[in-house]
Amino acid sequence: WFTKTLLTTKESTKHMHVPEIEAFLQKRKEDWLKSKIKSNTPPEAKQTLEQEAEQKFHFTNWVQDAAKRAGQLSMVSHPAKFSHPSAKSTNIIAHTQQRPDGLLRSGNIKGLTLDVFGNAAALDVYKFLMLNLNDNKPLLEHLEANTLAVRQLFATFSDETFEEIRQNFLKIKTKESPPKTHGKIKQIYFPLDQEGTAYHLLSILTPSPILYELKKRIQTMRFSEAAKASREARKNAQAAAPYSDILNLTRIGFGGTKPQNISVLNNQNGGIAYLLPASPPVLKKRHIHPPVKNFFDHSYTRPLDYQDLFDAFHNTLKQAINNKHTRNKIQKKAKDIFSALIERSWHIRHLDAGWSDSDRYQTLPQSQKWWLDQKYHHSEHKDEEWLNNLEENIITWFGHAYQSLYPKQNYNLSDHEFIALKKWLKSYEGGLK
């Protein structure tokens, strides 16, 4: 009975199909034929190439060839080539446990995949090993554990041939012994005694899986559909879900025009990663003081807060070229100033509703209380006439602030330009109400 059961299992596994693997080999075959067959290829040569492709990319033939090439690649957690493209060192795979120690390190980040470097022509082997079998686990994991599923997949091979293929594939994770460093890697000599006669040589390596997991999370934080929707809603003064951002990011490149020479993860990310600011923050106390008499007088006395925005507007406006591109650019610079002013108003509007009831703000115009105090968010006084007057005040502030910043330029805004400003401000009515 035992022998009969084994034979039945063996026979049934010969017909095992894994759609991902079949699609992978089919795509490889199509790409190979596309590179070989041209529009002027004779029919006889085309038929010969197609027959060759059938043999070359048949599962049993391709797998044996791929297994021999697996040793040209190395899976690592800390590639040396991020320090220097010519650096050659031991293939480091950090095996560390997850601990609640609050540290950003290997082992404490779930879902990280190892990086790969080596002969770029053999990267198809890595892609093959990362294909999932029917249990959604990668083929490489099955080969390491020598599971029944992987033996079923390779059932057409003898046991001896299968074991040879398996060992060849596993060379992609083989470590050198003893470990070796390289002169092009950043080195630290750590003293072991007070006399300075003994040292540990520490080689500083880059944890590329962590590096690009960081980039992935930052990209999601900044550019996900939810983040975009929240920013757009906030811009239009609509109810918005909170979103996060990271300021003062720096981009760093690895590999120049050939990021594939560094690693697979580096190539997938275009050779670009993010660096977070490591300097201690300089904190400034910020207190929001609502205007006591007039919001625009308060902003007018501090036009330097908008200096960069007005500089950009002024430099564009004084250009002699009058075409659609320049006009669109002027419009954008003006809208940037409107956005900054309206954003300042929203800083005040985020204060507790009813702040304007204090005796301190008795002289603040009632129309501005309706605008700046959330107590009056749904006030019936915020009608079309009120909105028009508010927009006139903003345009007046714009002109006064512009002239106060460039008194020696003798360049005043014309009536035509004021009409354009009023038209552009209309698109912000949602943020003013």
Side-chain angles (χ1 to χ4, degrees), residues 280-337:
V282 178
L283 303 178
K284 296 181 180 179
K285 292 184 178 179
R286 297 185 62 189
H287 301 286
I288 299 175
H289 298 292
V292 176
K293 294 183 179 181
N294 188 305
F295 173 84
F296 297 102
D297 286 347
H298 181 73
S299 296
Y300 172 66
T301 58
R302 300 175 59 189
L304 291 179
D305 292 350
Y306 308 88
Q307 178 78 59
D308 293 342
L309 297 175
F310 272 109
D311 282 347
F313 173 77
H314 177 69
N315 292 333
T316 307
L317 190 63
K318 69 181 183 180
Q319 292 180 6
I321 302 174
N322 183 10
N323 54 32
K324 183 177 180 181
H325 173 74
T326 303
R327 291 193 296 271
N328 288 341
K329 194 173 180 181
I330 293 172
Q331 178 180 349
K332 181 184 182 304
K333 301 305 179 183
K335 285 188 172 183
D336 288 343
I337 298 172

Side-chain angles (χ1 to χ4, degrees), residues 6 10 16 22 51 73 103 166 189 204 219 224 249 271 280 320 341 377 385 407 431:
L6 285 178
K10 183 81 171 179
M16 177 182 180
E22 293 174 355
Q51 292 174 353
L73 301 172
L103 298 177
R166 191 175 80 88
Y189 287 89
I204 310 301
Q219 295 284 79
S224 67
L249 286 174
L341 184 74
H377 180 61
E385 181 181 357

Side-chain angles (χ1 to χ4, degrees), residues 142-156:
H142 282 277
L143 287 168
E144 289 181 295
N146 197 12
T147 63
L148 175 62
V150 78
R151 294 197 299 272
Q152 290 175 346
L153 179 64
F154 290 86
T156 54

Side-chain angles (χ1 to χ4, degrees), residues 135-396:
D135 61 354
N136 289 325
K137 293 182 179 180
L139 174 59
L140 180 60
E141 185 176 327
H142 282 277
L143 287 168
E144 289 181 295
N146 197 12
T147 63
L148 175 62
V150 78
R151 294 197 299 272
Q152 290 175 346
L153 179 64
F154 290 86
T156 54
F157 297 102
S158 66
D159 292 342
E160 182 180 353
T161 303
F162 164 68
E163 185 58 26
E164 181 183 355
I165 291 173
R166 191 175 80 88
Q167 292 300 328
N168 281 336
F169 274 132
L170 294 181
K171 288 180 181 179
I172 197 173
K173 294 184 73 173
T174 300
K175 294 183 179 180
E176 296 179 55
S177 183
K180 299 177 183 178
T181 186
H182 193 272
K184 294 186 180 296
I185 300 174
K186 296 177 182 179
Q187 313 285 350
I188 292 180
Y189 287 89
F190 190 85
L192 297 179
D193 56 22
Q194 293 183 352
E195 292 75 18
T197 58
Y199 294 87
H200 268 315
L201 175 59
L202 305 179
S203 297
I204 310 301
L205 300 174
T206 302
S208 58
I210 295 180
L211 188 70
Y212 285 116
E213 176 65 18
L214 171 67
K215 180 180 180 180
K216 174 184 174 183
R217 296 188 186 188
I218 290 176
Q219 295 284 79
T220 300
M221 176 192 299
R222 303 178 73 190
F223 305 116
S224 67
E225 293 302 321
K228 291 179 181 178
S230 293
R231 284 190 175 90
E232 188 65 24
R234 183 173 182 269
K235 177 181 177 182
N236 296 321
Q238 300 171 350
Y243 62 89
S244 302
D245 202 351
I246 296 179
L247 305 179
N248 300 323
L249 286 174
T250 298
R251 303 204 321 168
I252 183 172
F254 299 97
T257 59
K258 297 182 179 180
Q260 70 275 12
N261 290 345
I262 304 300
S263 77
V264 167
L265 283 179
N266 190 62
N267 189 42
Q268 291 174 352
N269 286 272
I272 300 297
Y274 287 137
L275 290 180
L276 299 177
S279 56
V282 178
L283 303 178
K284 296 181 180 179
K285 292 184 178 179
R286 297 185 62 189
H287 301 286
I288 299 175
H289 298 292
V292 176
K293 294 183 179 181
N294 188 305
F295 173 84
F296 297 102
D297 286 347
H298 181 73
S299 296
Y300 172 66
T301 58
R302 300 175 59 189
L304 291 179
D305 292 350
Y306 308 88
Q307 178 78 59
D308 293 342
L309 297 175
F310 272 109
D311 282 347
F313 173 77
H314 177 69
N315 292 333
T316 307
L317 190 63
K318 69 181 183 180
Q319 292 180 6
I321 302 174
N322 183 10
N323 54 32
K324 183 177 180 181
H325 173 74
T326 303
R327 291 193 296 271
N328 288 341
K329 194 173 180 181
I330 293 172
Q331 178 180 349
K332 181 184 182 304
K333 301 305 179 183
K335 285 188 172 183
D336 288 343
I337 298 172
F338 291 144
S339 295
L341 184 74
I342 294 172
E343 183 176 358
R344 172 166 289 182
S345 75
W346 271 100
H347 288 167
I348 301 172
R349 295 174 74 173
H350 281 138
L351 296 175
D352 293 338
W355 61 265
S356 63
D357 293 339
S358 171
D359 292 341
R360 175 178 172 79
Y361 305 104
Q362 284 184 349
T363 57
L364 184 67
Q366 186 61 49
S367 61
Q368 292 190 23
K369 292 182 180 181
W370 294 338
W371 176 33
L372 300 172
D373 192 339
Q374 283 298 89
K375 175 182 178 180
Y376 305 103
H377 180 61
H378 298 292
S379 173
E380 68 277 4
H381 298 289
K382 299 170 75 170
D383 54 14
E384 185 174 352
E385 181 181 357
W386 166 85
L387 183 59
N388 289 335
N389 289 335
L390 178 60
E391 291 174 353
E392 287 290 341
N393 288 333
I394 293 175
I395 296 300
T396 300

